[in-house]
Amino acid sequence: DDPMNAIALRSLYSDMMATDKSYKETLVTLQDLAGFKQEVMGKYKREFEKVVAEYLKQCEHLHEQKVEEQKRFQKALENADAKSKGISVRIIQEFEQKKEKAIQEFMAEEDESILKDLSVEVESLAKRLMENEMLLVEQLGDLFDEFNSQLRKQKEASNASRGDFSMRITDIVQGYKTRLQEFVDKERERIEEDEDEDEDEDEVEEVVKLIKHDEKLKEAINGSFETHKDFIEELIAALTKKEEDRIKSLQIKFQHANYNKNRERVAEIFDVVELYRKVIQMCKEEDAEDIEEDEDD
């Protein structure tokens, strides 16, 4: 799991270099030349990893904001749900008092109109409970709209940060290509000067041949540059898609949870109302049995 969407960044440089065939098959030969490791590759790695580290800090900051917003939203949902439950409990308690009083009066007076009035109260109870549920649904809808708005802002902030990172890292890759070419040109000039002055060559023959092979080196430099550029572009695209998928998954998760809770609450209302209907029906049946017994006597 990668909630911060940053795992691939932590090993970006080494992963990218591992895919660079042009470097591994050709440019690596240049490491025998003085200054190549430090002036070219060392500087490239330091600049590259510095920008990655700064972007990771931005990712951490944005992730913290996202976590806080989710907590705030979850808390708002829980508060709205708790408030609605409290109202429903009070509505049922009020009905319970009416029910107990009505049943006691019915048992004492055996007046069927009392049960009819109680049945009306049951339907009123069902209506009030459903109205309270609809009010909650409306409130939760407003909270979801606000949360989705915050998700859009988070996405915009992430895209802006990612876009800035992309431009900065692309500039560094371009600098790598330029530095490579400048190093090769300088070494070629030096070797040619040494040859003109008939100085002994200390360099490995393979390196000298490569430096003199202008087209092969240009092709390797361009190949390395394109590999790095493409690797980063693919990573940026993957990070962007992952961010979009995360937001969509989060929205679906909360929507499904809310939908299921709504179904459960409505089912509970139906169960409560049906229970009270059965209580009234039982009172009617018991009264009918009592009448039959009296008639038999």
Side-chain angles (χ1 to χ4, degrees):
D1 191 22
D2 182 20
M4 202 174 80
N5 198 18
I7 285 179
L9 294 168
R10 302 187 189 281
S11 58
L12 175 55
Y13 182 82
S14 58
D15 291 343
M16 178 183 69
M17 292 302 298
T19 66
D20 189 352
K21 291 184 178 180
S22 295
Y23 181 85
K24 289 189 290 185
E25 295 175 358
T26 305
L27 297 177
V28 69
T29 307
L30 300 177
Q31 67 182 355
D32 293 325
L33 294 173
F36 180 75
K37 288 183 179 180
Q38 289 300 318
E39 294 175 16
V40 180
M41 300 310 298
K43 187 173 182 179
Y44 179 41
K45 184 178 181 181
R46 288 192 299 274
E47 290 179 347
F48 194 100
E49 293 186 339
K50 180 175 181 290
V51 171
V52 171
E54 290 172 354
Y55 178 54
L56 275 171
K57 285 185 178 179
Q58 292 179 5
C59 289
E60 289 173 2
H61 177 65
L62 290 171
H63 177 65
E64 289 171 0
Q65 290 181 330
K66 292 169 186 175
V67 170
E68 287 302 313
E69 178 58 29
Q70 287 181 37
K71 288 180 179 178
R72 186 204 65 77
F73 175 61
Q74 189 65 50
K75 186 66 175 177
L77 290 180
E78 291 172 358
N79 289 341
D81 187 56
K83 183 178 179 181
S84 178
K85 283 182 179 178
I87 293 173
S88 293
V89 168
R90 287 196 296 274
I91 292 173
I92 293 174
Q93 287 175 340
E94 291 173 4
F95 175 79
E96 274 287 338
Q97 293 176 356
K98 294 178 180 178
K99 183 203 72 171
E100 291 299 323
K101 182 180 179 182
I103 290 178
Q104 289 176 7
E105 291 178 352
F106 175 73
M107 291 176 65
E109 303 176 15
E110 297 184 354
D111 184 352
E112 289 190 4
S113 64
I114 296 176
L115 293 182
K116 289 181 181 179
D117 292 341
L118 186 58
S119 294
V120 173
E121 289 292 339
V122 169
E123 301 311 313
S124 176
L125 169 69
K127 182 180 178 183
R128 292 179 66 191
L129 290 174
M130 287 302 297
E131 286 175 348
N132 184 50
E133 174 61 24
M134 291 304 102
L135 178 61
L136 175 61
V137 169
E138 184 178 339
Q139 291 172 342
L140 295 181
D142 291 340
L143 289 175
F144 274 108
D145 288 343
E146 182 184 349
F147 181 61
N148 287 332
S149 176
Q150 291 300 319
L151 286 179
R152 285 192 294 271
K153 290 179 181 178
Q154 291 172 7
K155 180 180 177 181
E156 290 170 1
S158 293
N159 287 343
S161 177
R162 198 178 302 114
D164 179 67
F165 167 70
S166 177
M167 287 189 293
R168 293 181 65 194
I169 208 73
T170 299
D171 286 344
I172 288 172
V173 173
Q174 181 64 54
Y176 159 70
K177 177 184 178 184
T178 301
R179 201 174 293 120
L180 263 177
Q181 189 62 58
E182 289 175 348
F183 180 84
V184 167
D185 291 342
K186 187 173 74 171
E187 287 299 310
R188 182 180 295 112
E189 290 177 6
R190 183 184 62 77
I191 290 174
E192 289 174 352
E193 287 176 2
D194 290 346
E195 288 178 342
D196 291 340
E197 296 173 6
D198 294 327
E199 293 187 9
D200 293 334
E201 293 183 0
D202 294 329
E203 284 84 14
V204 178
E205 184 178 354
E206 182 183 3
V207 178
V208 175
K209 286 182 179 179
L210 179 61
I211 290 292
K212 290 181 177 181
H213 199 316
D214 187 52
E215 289 303 316
K216 183 177 181 181
L217 263 179
K218 280 185 177 179
E219 182 180 334
I221 290 171
N222 286 330
S224 180
F225 167 72
E226 291 296 332
T227 296
H228 294 197
K229 185 169 69 70
D230 291 346
F231 191 91
I232 291 168
E233 287 177 354
E234 289 174 7
L235 173 65
I236 295 295
L239 292 176
T240 301
K241 185 178 184 304
K242 194 169 183 180
E243 175 77 2
E244 292 173 350
D245 291 344
R246 183 195 70 83
I247 291 175
K248 188 178 294 184
S249 175
L250 195 60
Q251 289 173 323
I252 292 173
K253 171 187 171 183
F254 280 120
Q255 287 171 351
H256 281 182
N258 182 54
Y259 174 75
N260 291 333
K261 284 185 177 181
N262 172 250
R263 291 190 63 182
E264 290 172 3
R265 289 190 298 264
V266 170
E268 288 173 358
I269 291 173
F270 288 160
D271 289 344
V272 167
V273 171
E274 183 60 26
L275 176 63
Y276 288 133
R277 286 172 179 157
K278 288 181 178 179
V279 169
I280 294 173
Q281 184 61 34
M282 287 172 61
C283 289
K284 290 180 179 179
E285 292 174 356
E286 288 179 4
D287 182 58
E289 290 177 0
D290 291 342
I291 292 173
E292 288 180 2
E293 289 178 0
D294 290 342
E295 288 177 351
D296 291 341
D297 290 342

